[in-house]
Amino acid sequence: MSRLRSGRTARVRTRQAAKPRLAPVRRNLNPIRVLDEEGLQRIHDASMAILEEVGIEFRDPQALSEWRAAGADIQGERVRIDRHLLMDLVRKAPSEFRVQGRGAETGFTMGGNTSVFCTMKGAPFTRDLDGIRRSTTEQDVINFARLTQACRSFHMAGGFTCEPMDIPVPHRHLIMMQHHMTETELPLFGIGTSKERAEDCVAMARIVAGDVMDDATAIWMHASGNSPLVWDQAMLDGARVFADAGQAVLCSPFVLAAANTPADVAATLAQVNAEALAAIAYLQLYRPGTPVVYGQYTVSISMQSGAPMAGTPEVALITSAVGQLARLYGLPWRTSANHASSKAFDAQSGYEGATTLMTAMNAGANLMLHAGGWDEGGLTICYAKFIADDEQNQMMARYAGGISLDRFDEALKAVRRIGPAGHYLGDEFTLAHFRDAFAMPDIMDFSSYEQWNAAGANDMATRCRKKAQTLLEEFTVPDMDPSTREELDAFVMRRKREIGLG
């Protein structure tokens, strides 16, 4: 029996090794609509009224000065923006833009009917290869960068996929970027929580990606708004650094529905829309043509515990409606995929992740953020879930491609050949196409109970952890010019000395 299992493992590894990275997903499905035209217009009008009448705070002297010069009504830090001014600025944002990592085969277009997957970001805790929850370490940063490169579905690296608690805070951004830039060749997210960190991230990307950044986005910033209705100086300082470098900024309100938005789906949408559009408009005011992505992170709040809840019906509706709003404005947009609030990699984790992933694809999201590893509301990154999410992403990509008629006529000939009461297992068409006709997942188990039991009765979490371990053991660091690596390492060492630990 051990030889049989070894043979199956060898076949699985060979099949995996032969598969290239998943191409950016071209959606052939019409995005779902949860608002009719009248409802969509009411949400838009309400957002405009919020910005005109209530206003939004820009807690940043430079932004206030620039809004004042543009004709907005400024009272203290409160900015009231006329809808015509706002929409004139929003229209300056590109509807599509080019993204390219340091690897030659990592490019894609952000926007249109393209969807891409990116890992989760920011977890201070890790559920490790033994299934134990503990603080994240630098080795976890390295491991998840390697898994991001090794897994087929990810088109972008999280950059700060998880946050190492064993590295001093002033140095963390340097270490996280250094590992992601060397262990992966993908475009990635940088860190813009201060002007200095943003400048470091852009400078490191310039060392690694070089001239790529002249014509494409190699590194992104995730600018997170403070709901309700606040954009602060730290985020705006970072966003301006990325904009000056011609790199993309994800403008993403952080919504805990019923906590920092009204306890109503439609009103939450109006507020989220106002917050996202205000940031997008500001970046076009600051630097017209800056590549931006309309973002939203939305979960609802448990009124029993105050904890965030993923995978709920209201979150799915909000996600779908945000897609409609982004298309109304001609903007690429982001949502979250594979979200889970569960404290274990269990049925709840799977149900939540499946709901958010399917919703994101059906809603037509361009950037599927947090599509690998997210558990416990983002506090924990899970090795097992990371692997399971990767396989789910691949299957969702097949779903998004829709039904092909390319081999339809040839397949119908098999119906004529076989006729009533036959079977297709030995038919020439089946033999020619069975390997790619239907998805053949490796992690999910479809054997009989007897086969599964004889093979060790491993549950999905165990199988995922074993695959993660195998991928890490067999990992090969992608090539980087030695002089580039030397320059990157020297930059990190110099900046660590300059920053110090005071």
Side-chain angles (χ1 to χ4, degrees), residues 324-345:
Q324 289 185 251
L325 289 162
R327 287 187 289 276
L328 176 67
Y329 307 129
L331 296 169
W333 71 286
R334 160 259 165 142
T335 192
S336 301
N338 289 319
H339 260 208
S341 305
S342 181
K343 270 56 72 180
F345 182 46

Side-chain angles (χ1 to χ4, degrees), residues 197-212:
R197 289 172 185 162
E199 288 172 340
D200 285 341
C201 291
V202 169
M204 292 172 73
R206 184 71 70 180
I207 292 170
V208 171
D211 295 342
V212 166

Side-chain angles (χ1 to χ4, degrees), residues 124-128 130-135 343 376 379-380:
F125 298 101
T126 293
R127 191 177 304 119
D128 64 19
D130 295 315
I132 305 300
R133 181 186 185 270
R134 55 166 173 73
S135 293
K343 270 56 72 180
E376 201 182 335
L379 290 175
T380 296

Side-chain angles (χ1 to χ4, degrees), residues 438-491:
F438 300 99
M440 297 176 65
D442 293 316
I443 291 300
M444 291 196 294
D445 190 287
F446 299 99
S447 61
S448 70
Y449 175 82
E450 290 76 16
Q451 291 170 320
W452 171 78
N453 193 51
N458 291 322
D459 62 13
M460 187 165 182
T462 301
R463 296 194 300 272
C464 288
R465 288 195 291 266
K466 286 184 175 180
K467 179 174 180 181
Q469 185 67 58
T470 298
L471 290 174
L472 291 172
E473 290 172 354
E474 298 178 350
F475 183 77
T476 301
V477 178
D479 291 338
M480 177 182 285
D481 184 271
S483 62
T484 299
R485 178 62 187 265
E486 183 178 346
E487 184 179 358
L488 179 66
D489 291 347
F491 178 91

Side-chain angles (χ1 to χ4, degrees), residues 182-409:
T182 54
E183 305 290 344
T184 85
E185 57 183 358
L186 303 172
L188 76 163
F189 274 93
I191 299 170
T193 50
S194 72
K195 182 179 180 182
E196 292 74 19
R197 289 172 185 162
E199 288 172 340
D200 285 341
C201 291
V202 169
M204 292 172 73
R206 184 71 70 180
I207 292 170
V208 171
D211 295 342
V212 166
M213 291 171 63
D214 294 338
D215 302 306
T217 288
I219 189 167
W220 299 44
M221 180 190 163
H222 185 158
S224 186
N226 289 336
S227 299
L229 299 169
V230 173
W231 286 95
D232 63 33
Q233 183 172 355
M235 287 289 111
L236 296 173
D237 273 344
R240 285 189 288 260
V241 170
F242 278 75
D244 286 340
Q247 302 301 285
V249 180
L250 167 61
C251 301
S252 196
F254 185 87
V255 171
L256 306 173
N260 59 10
T261 69
D264 178 81
V265 169
T268 293
L269 279 164
Q271 180 185 308
V272 168
N273 192 44
E275 292 169 340
L277 290 180
I280 289 168
Y282 170 68
L283 285 169
Q284 302 311 310
L285 175 63
Y286 174 72
R287 185 181 180 276
T290 293
V292 292
V293 172
Y294 180 127
Q296 62 91 22
Y297 169 87
T298 303
V299 291
S300 53
I301 291 295
S302 168
M303 294 304 173
Q304 283 75 42
S305 67
M309 301 187 298
T312 62
E314 293 76 19
V315 171
L317 290 168
I318 289 169
T319 295
S320 301
V322 165
Q324 289 185 251
L325 289 162
R327 287 187 289 276
L328 176 67
Y329 307 129
L331 296 169
W333 71 286
R334 160 259 165 142
T335 192
S336 301
N338 289 319
H339 260 208
S341 305
S342 181
K343 270 56 72 180
F345 182 46
D346 57 8
Q348 179 181 332
S349 177
Y351 281 130
E352 290 180 286
T355 298
T356 55
L357 178 60
M358 180 65 81
T359 296
M361 192 60 79
N362 281 335
N366 301 112
L367 173 58
M368 308 283 195
L369 195 55
H370 306 319
W374 179 290
D375 249 340
E376 201 182 335
L379 290 175
T380 296
I381 185 167
C382 175
Y383 279 87
K385 190 171 189 296
F386 195 94
I387 297 300
D389 289 344
D390 173 55
E391 185 167 271
Q392 292 299 305
N393 294 342
Q394 294 176 54
M395 290 196 291
M396 189 55 58
R398 289 186 68 114
Y399 165 77
I403 297 174
S404 171
L405 297 178
D406 290 349
R407 300 195 295 234
F408 183 54
D409 292 336

Side-chain angles (χ1 to χ4, degrees), residues 73-91:
D73 176 17
I74 311 296
Q75 296 181 18
E77 294 179 325
R78 186 79 63 93
V79 180
R80 293 177 174 85
I81 312 168
D82 174 80
R83 68 184 63 198
H84 301 294
L85 169 61
L86 181 92
M87 293 311 301
D88 283 346
L89 290 168
V90 168
R91 281 189 282 269

